[in-house]
């Protein structure tokens, strides 16, 4: 393998690693909220996530942030 190919493969590995550690943003619909958590509907499944800000309205769509692709860390921000 030549030097150029090795450099390209190293860059590819770094990019893939960085993408795994990013926060993904999805759109979810709030089903119910209570306290500081709410039940949301996303991709045909319900999840319980924390919310920050004012109480989200049932039936409304909000952006849901999923750090590092881990749904157990997911949250929504309501203005």
């Amino acid at each position: 393998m030549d030097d150029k190919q090795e450099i390209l493969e190293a860059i590819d590995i770094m990019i893939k690693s960085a993408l795994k550690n990013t926060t993904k943003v999805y759109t979810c619909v709030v089903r119910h909220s209570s306290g500081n958590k709410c039940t949301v509907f996303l991709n045909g499944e319900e999840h319980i996530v924390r919310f920050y800000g004012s109480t989200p309205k049932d039936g409304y769509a909000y952006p849901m942030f999923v750090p590092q692709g881990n749904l157990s860390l997911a949250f929504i921000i309501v203005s």
Side-chain angles (χ1 to χ4, degrees):
M1 183 181 306
D2 66 347
D3 291 341
K4 290 180 184 178
Q5 186 63 32
E6 284 185 36
I7 291 172
L8 288 175
E9 287 185 11
I11 292 171
D12 184 51
I13 290 170
M14 289 188 302
I15 289 171
K16 287 179 181 176
S17 176
L19 289 175
K20 287 181 184 177
N21 294 324
T22 60
T23 297
K24 298 186 183 201
V25 181
Y26 300 98
T27 299
C28 66
V29 175
V30 172
R31 294 281 178 118
H32 175 72
S33 58
S34 176
N36 63 351
K37 293 185 180 179
C38 60
T39 303
V40 298
F41 192 70
L42 173 71
N43 293 336
E45 297 180 358
E46 286 189 346
H47 303 278
I48 297 174
V49 300
R50 294 189 78 135
F51 67 85
Y52 298 96
S54 57
T55 303
K57 295 181 181 181
D58 297 349
Y60 279 67
Y62 295 94
M64 183 171 80
F65 301 89
V66 184
Q68 301 173 356
N70 187 344
L71 279 170
S72 65
L73 300 174
F75 63 93
I76 63 174
I77 299 174
V78 183
S79 58

